[in-house]
Amino acid sequence: MKKIILTVLFLVSITGFSQQIYFPKNLYQDSTALATNMPELAKKTIAFLQQKNENNKDPLFRLQLVAKNYATVAPTIRESAQETYKDSTSIRALGFPFRVYANTLNGHPSTKEDFKSTFNKQFHKIYDDLNEDGQNMVDQYYEKDLSQLKKDLDDKLKAIETKENLTVEEAVALCRSYCSYLTFSNTLDLAKEILKKISDEKYIVDENVTLTMPDGGTVALTVVRLRKETQPLPIVLMYNIYAGADISRCKEAANRGFVGIVVNTRGKRLSKDTIEPFEHDAKDAYEIIDWISKQSWCDGKIGMYGGSYLGFSQWSAVKKKHPALKTIVPQVAVGIGIDYPMANGVFMSYMLRWIHFVTNDKLTDIGDFSNTTHWNEAFKEYYTSGKSFRELDAIEGRPNAIFQRWLDHPTYDNFWQNMTPQKEEFSRIDIPILTTTGYYDDDQLGALYYYKQYQKWNKSDNYYLIIGPYDHFGAQGYPKAALNDYTIDEVANIPIQEIVFQWFNYTLKNGPKPELLKDKVNYQLMGANTWNHAPSLAKMSNDKLTFHLSSTQNNGTYSLASTKLQKLNFITQTIDFKDRSVVKVNSESSYCGFDEIQPKKLPGDKNLIVLESQPLLEPVAITGALEANLVFECNKKDLDIVIQLYEKRPDGTYFALSNNIQRASLAKDSTKRQLLKPNAIESIPVTSNFLACKQLQKGSQIVILLGVNNSPDWQINYGSGKDVSDETIKDAAIPLQIKWYGSSTFELPILK
């Protein structure tokens, strides 16, 4: 009888193209009801995904586990590894906790002791077959905070409590959260018991080290050494704000012949200080490295690596470099004040979400961060209400001092400059450096900012760069085989994490240089399935394509002319900031603002005009970043320029190459705002753009989308000349009027 009732309760309602699953609150009003009804929800969701031909195996194996289809979980995880990384062997630890739990339940244990015994056997059956990297990945899986997983599940349930029906996306999100809590609530203690026994036999672990800084602040360290190593060794160090998975990171370095250390930034984990991201890292780094260098297990050589914030923290560490620091490997490094929390002068809404992620508690608040619905609604409310950007934290519901402090520094002033090397400080960096980033890495501008500053001020030329078709996470260690609809070239799928440790063997142990590093700049040419090598960014190209705007129009598309036209040739554009009828929200899986890398048509955005070149007469390779000099006049004192670059292929489809934003008043000098003169002709350089390398075939066309930002993802510049954070929609009474002149130029570096 219950099965019949459940079948009726889970009937599908279809409205237009939206599919929904009936799942009212009475089906999860307590833990018993939730446990009873979640399997049926998972089964229905699986059916919908199959109906939509959704082939992503990542949510599928989690849904299968919730649906109690235990025998299918492990095969689906193997397929997921193949789909994500083109590799189902070296990434064998992928989904380990879910495989072990599903295999255990598939054995139908009848008692708690039977479950424990079966779990132990299944754990060792898979674990013992992994290499050291895989076993280290297992450690990371079980460094979970069960209370956070429970909070995340409760938040997901609260978000739907007023609904009778769930969208497929909501159902997937709920099932994923339930799957994690279900798995780890039943296995976390058992797994930790097993792993502790293994760890105690192999490693010496100290995760309770605290250091006191000269000003009284404290930082926490985790140190891991192999028991069999009795001589001093080089140190591999991570300087990390994302506290919570530190032991496994240390073990990876120890397994590779180093002492592994993770330092949590001030305020995190064991530190009782206030968490203030970025602000203390530079002055704390010297003291931290000094302490490490004096320990008996340190041979006096220290190397650092890590991505994103950890890339920034390495640059902060070389502002005043300690003699024991022998190399850094900043990956996808945040350019503080350069590309985060503002990109080329424009603050991003995401900054508030990230602040809460790292400051809500001593570890990280993944539940709050992953509540996509909440954050999208907050950003949408900011946008549709027309309130000031400074009110975003109040709109979200939690006024935030750090958010407000950052807004008080809208230019690249001393507040930001004090965090990383400046000018002559770059010239004093006397160690080899390796940077990794990607064409679709959101922090590419930051990573390349440091590279360019080093090249400008430092004459030692001991800086290597690896760049390819990677996103923010792929360029930190494990590239994805596909970025949404784009499958990367086979040669691009390189083991970046392995190369990082080859680099440490080279710099800290006098081993051979990584084979890929054939020159200072090593870049993968998309579409050609090759790696190219050059001595500098400038030497990546041997020619350039130059285009100018033309008012010649064809079906709403303007021309990119190869010759300079008269100044009187211009394109008029009107932006009505009061019009909030369209709210554009990028998906969570977008890359640098592109939901698709290979769209069949351009995304419709009335704030952007489309410029298209003539077909190329010969094959060429784009090997660098677009640079523009925009000649225009407008009726406002400022605007935030958007430039997107696409290839239009002969078959009419597109390939997304780069997406950039630039505050006009900060284009000439990021440290000082220079307002525009209304209705006067201005010439604004846009040179801090994303780099991309792509082989173009004969007949392809260059497409540029040019316009102005009007999005909930960014602070909106209404052009009044006031601090942009304080502007509101009241400042948009008069629409923005722009004349883009034909004397504007776009230069694209190419390799013939």
Side-chain angles (χ1 to χ4, degrees):
M1 181 65 180
K2 179 182 287 186
K3 186 174 181 179
I4 296 174
I5 293 173
L6 285 172
T7 301
V8 173
L9 286 173
F10 281 86
L11 285 176
V12 181
S13 67
I14 302 177
T15 306
F17 293 104
S18 66
Q19 296 176 319
Q20 297 189 324
I21 306 172
Y22 187 61
F23 196 64
K25 188 174 182 178
N26 65 292
L27 296 183
Y28 57 90
Q29 58 189 357
D30 54 46
S31 58
T32 301
L34 188 67
T36 300
N37 295 313
M38 283 301 296
E40 292 297 323
L41 176 63
K43 290 174 185 177
K44 287 293 181 183
T45 307
I46 290 171
F48 287 156
L49 294 178
Q50 291 172 340
Q51 179 184 337
K52 294 167 63 179
N53 292 319
E54 291 281 351
N55 296 317
N56 189 336
K57 301 298 187 301
D58 181 271
L60 180 58
F61 76 76
R62 302 169 199 270
L63 292 166
Q64 289 169 335
L65 197 155
V66 176
K68 300 185 178 181
N69 299 331
Y70 302 128
T72 65
V73 172
T76 303
I77 289 174
R78 285 196 294 271
E79 292 174 17
S80 179
Q82 182 67 28
E83 179 182 89
T84 306
Y85 300 104
K86 290 294 181 211
D87 191 336
S88 58
T89 54
S90 68
I91 314 294
R92 284 174 297 171
L94 192 73
F96 182 93
F98 308 104
R99 290 166 63 190
V100 176
Y101 185 47
N103 289 356
T104 301
L105 294 176
N106 199 41
H108 307 290
S110 56
T111 65
K112 285 186 177 180
E113 283 304 311
D114 190 12
F115 178 90
K116 181 177 180 179
S117 174
T118 305
F119 179 84
N120 196 304
K121 290 176 183 177
Q122 290 295 332
F123 189 102
H124 280 286
K125 181 180 179 181
I126 303 175
Y127 183 89
D128 293 346
D129 194 41
L130 298 173
N131 59 21
E132 284 187 331
D133 286 346
Q135 291 177 352
N136 187 64
M137 191 180 291
V138 171
D139 275 29
Q140 293 182 42
Y141 275 122
Y142 290 104
E143 290 179 336
K144 299 286 186 185
D145 184 338
L146 197 58
S147 64
Q148 282 202 354
L149 296 179
K150 181 62 166 65
K151 180 179 180 298
D152 181 55
L153 176 59
D154 290 341
D155 288 344
K156 293 288 193 304
L157 292 170
K158 185 176 181 180
I160 63 170
E161 65 182 356
T162 60
K163 299 183 178 182
E164 291 286 299
N165 301 292
L166 304 185
T167 65
V168 177
E169 290 74 16
E170 289 172 330
V172 168
L174 177 59
C175 287
R176 285 178 67 102
S177 183
Y178 181 76
C179 177
S180 292
Y181 181 69
L182 178 71
T183 300
F184 290 103
S185 63
N186 285 291
T187 65
L188 188 59
D189 288 343
L190 294 176
K192 283 188 172 182
E193 183 180 331
I194 296 170
L195 289 171
K196 185 177 187 309
K197 183 178 179 181
I198 295 171
S199 179
D200 288 346
E201 292 174 354
K202 186 176 181 180
Y203 304 99
I204 299 172
V205 178
D206 191 346
E207 57 180 326
N208 296 310
V209 181
T210 58
L211 301 182
T212 301
M213 301 294 105
D215 65 358
T218 58
V219 296
L221 285 76
T222 299
V223 182
V224 175
R225 296 179 285 142
L226 289 178
R227 287 193 179 276
K228 67 179 183 181
E229 297 287 357
T230 58
Q231 298 299 315
L233 292 173
I235 310 300
V236 167
L237 168 65
M238 301 184 91
Y239 193 10
N240 187 11
I241 197 171
Y242 303 108
D246 303 323
I247 292 177
S248 58
R249 293 187 175 103
C250 293
K251 284 181 178 178
E252 179 173 18
N255 291 338
R256 293 176 180 270
F258 303 90
V259 175
I261 299 181
V262 171
V263 179
N264 302 124
T265 57
R266 189 184 292 213
K268 302 297 288 188
R269 204 162 65 85
L270 304 178
S271 172
K272 293 181 170 56
D273 296 288
T274 302
I275 303 170
E276 297 174 310
F278 302 104
E279 295 187 36
H280 304 283
D281 299 355
K283 64 182 179 180
D284 290 349
Y286 191 94
E287 303 299 328
I288 293 165
I289 293 171
D290 189 63
W291 180 86
I292 293 171
S293 70
K294 295 174 181 176
Q295 303 310 301
S296 60
W297 32 257
C298 174
D299 72 353
K301 291 180 287 188
I302 299 170
M304 299 178 71
Y305 87 107
S308 196
Y309 189 104
L310 285 71
F312 151 80
S313 64
Q314 292 171 71
W315 284 110
S316 74
V318 295
K319 188 173 178 70
K320 179 186 176 184
K321 192 191 76 66
H322 192 283
L325 183 59
K326 302 302 183 183
T327 187
I328 59 172
V329 186
Q331 301 169 281
V332 298
V334 168
I336 191 65
I338 300 295
D339 73 342
Y340 182 84
M342 66 279 216
N344 293 327
V346 186
F347 281 108
M348 56 188 70
S349 304
Y350 170 82
M351 63 190 270
L352 181 61
R353 183 177 182 178
W354 183 87
I355 288 169
H356 281 288
F357 178 47
V358 298
T359 64
N360 282 0
D361 58 45
K362 292 294 182 180
L363 300 178
T364 55
D365 192 345
I366 189 65
D368 185 277
F369 184 80
S370 63
N371 192 349
T372 303
T373 300
H374 166 77
W375 288 107
N376 283 346
E377 288 176 352
F379 299 158
K380 180 181 177 181
E381 173 63 20
Y382 148 67
Y383 180 74
T384 56
S385 69
K387 293 180 179 180
S388 72
F389 192 76
R390 192 174 291 279
E391 295 176 90
L392 179 60
D393 56 344
I395 292 170
E396 189 270 334
R398 294 173 288 184
N400 188 279
I402 293 174
F403 177 76
Q404 294 297 330
R405 187 185 311 161
W406 290 1
L407 293 185
D408 288 339
H409 299 277
T411 65
Y412 190 57
D413 61 12
N414 288 336
F415 177 74
W416 309 110
Q417 292 177 28
N418 288 337
M419 301 176 187
T420 57
Q422 303 296 318
K423 299 180 179 179
E424 290 83 3
E425 290 173 327
F426 277 100
S427 70
R428 294 193 284 270
I429 301 172
D430 59 353
I431 57 175
I433 301 170
L434 172 64
T435 276
T436 64
T437 183
Y439 305 138
Y440 302 100
D441 165 27
D442 294 280
D443 276 312
Q444 186 207 110
L445 293 183
L448 293 186
Y449 161 79
Y450 296 116
Y451 184 89
K452 293 172 183 175
Q453 289 295 304
Y454 175 94
Q455 293 293 336
K456 179 178 180 180
W457 295 96
N458 194 300
K459 305 304 180 185
S460 64
D461 195 26
N462 204 8
Y463 193 152
Y464 292 79
L465 172 67
I466 296 174
I467 185 168
Y470 312 125
D471 68 342
H472 188 63
F473 297 100
Q476 294 183 54
Y478 300 99
K480 291 181 179 178
L483 304 179
N484 290 342
D485 58 324
Y486 171 56
T487 300
I488 68 175
D489 290 347
E490 183 178 354
V491 300
N493 205 340
I494 60 173
I496 291 178
Q497 189 75 348
E498 184 66 30
I499 292 171
V500 169
F501 278 94
Q502 289 173 9
W503 175 266
F504 285 135
N505 282 322
Y506 168 58
T507 55
L508 302 179
K509 292 186 172 183
N510 298 315
K513 186 169 66 175
E515 185 179 354
L516 182 62
L517 304 181
K518 291 181 169 58
D519 214 327
K520 295 300 189 294
V521 176
N522 306 275
Y523 64 98
Q524 201 276 312
L525 186 59
M526 294 187 290
N529 200 34
T530 61
W531 279 93
N532 290 6
H533 312 276
S536 65
L537 291 177
K539 295 292 180 64
M540 291 169 62
S541 59
N542 58 14
D543 205 344
K544 62 184 177 183
L545 296 176
T546 302
F547 299 105
H548 304 270
L549 279 79
S550 171
S551 58
T552 302
Q553 190 177 168
N554 182 22
N555 294 325
T557 298
Y558 295 94
S559 297
L560 281 174
S562 56
T563 57
K564 191 172 183 178
L565 304 175
Q566 296 298 317
K567 184 189 292 186
L568 293 178
N569 175 78
F570 59 82
I571 300 169
T572 301
Q573 188 177 16
T574 301
I575 308 292
D576 185 1
F577 287 114
K578 298 191 304 298
D579 182 0
R580 300 296 161 89
S581 57
V582 177
V583 182
K584 184 180 183 295
V585 178
N586 289 318
S587 72
E588 290 288 294
S589 61
S590 69
Y591 299 103
C592 294
F594 295 123
D595 288 336
E596 295 177 285
I597 305 298
Q598 303 181 100
K600 292 182 179 178
K601 61 180 182 178
L602 295 172
D605 189 333
K606 60 186 177 182
N607 302 298
L608 304 177
I609 58 174
V610 181
L611 305 160
E612 187 176 286
S613 76
Q614 291 296 310
L616 297 173
L617 299 179
E618 60 180 346
V620 298
I622 295 175
T623 52
L626 176 73
E627 291 193 357
N629 187 70
L630 299 174
V631 181
F632 65 91
E633 63 177 279
C634 71
N635 61 337
K636 302 284 185 177
K637 295 180 181 179
D638 204 0
L639 70 163
D640 292 342
I641 300 165
V642 172
I643 300 179
Q644 296 180 358
L645 176 66
Y646 288 85
E647 171 197 6
K648 183 178 182 181
R649 297 179 287 204
D651 65 0
T653 61
Y654 295 85
F655 194 99
L657 292 166
S658 66
N659 185 6
N660 205 59
I661 192 167
Q662 172 69 63
R663 178 151 295 161
S665 61
L666 292 171
K668 295 177 181 178
D669 184 349
S670 62
T671 69
K672 181 181 179 182
R673 195 177 183 198
Q674 301 176 50
L675 295 175
L676 309 178
K677 295 179 181 179
N679 303 311
I681 295 177
E682 301 276 359
S683 181
I684 298 295
V686 183
T687 57
S688 179
N689 295 318
F690 279 76
L691 178 154
C693 299
K694 172 74 163 60
Q695 178 64 51
L696 307 185
Q697 57 186 300
K698 178 181 177 180
S700 285
Q701 295 165 268
I702 304 300
V703 176
I704 294 174
L705 274 58
L706 172 66
V708 174
N709 170 62
N710 186 10
S711 163
D713 291 332
W714 299 91
Q715 176 190 49
I716 297 174
N717 186 348
Y718 295 100
S720 71
K722 297 187 294 188
D723 185 332
V724 177
S725 294
D726 297 324
E727 290 183 308
T728 72
I729 203 165
K730 293 179 181 179
D731 294 296
I734 300 173
L736 171 65
Q737 299 281 351
I738 313 171
K739 289 182 180 178
W740 302 105
Y741 283 105
S743 50
S744 299
T745 57
F746 299 92
E747 291 186 348
L748 200 56
I750 61 171
L751 183 68
K752 286 191 175 181

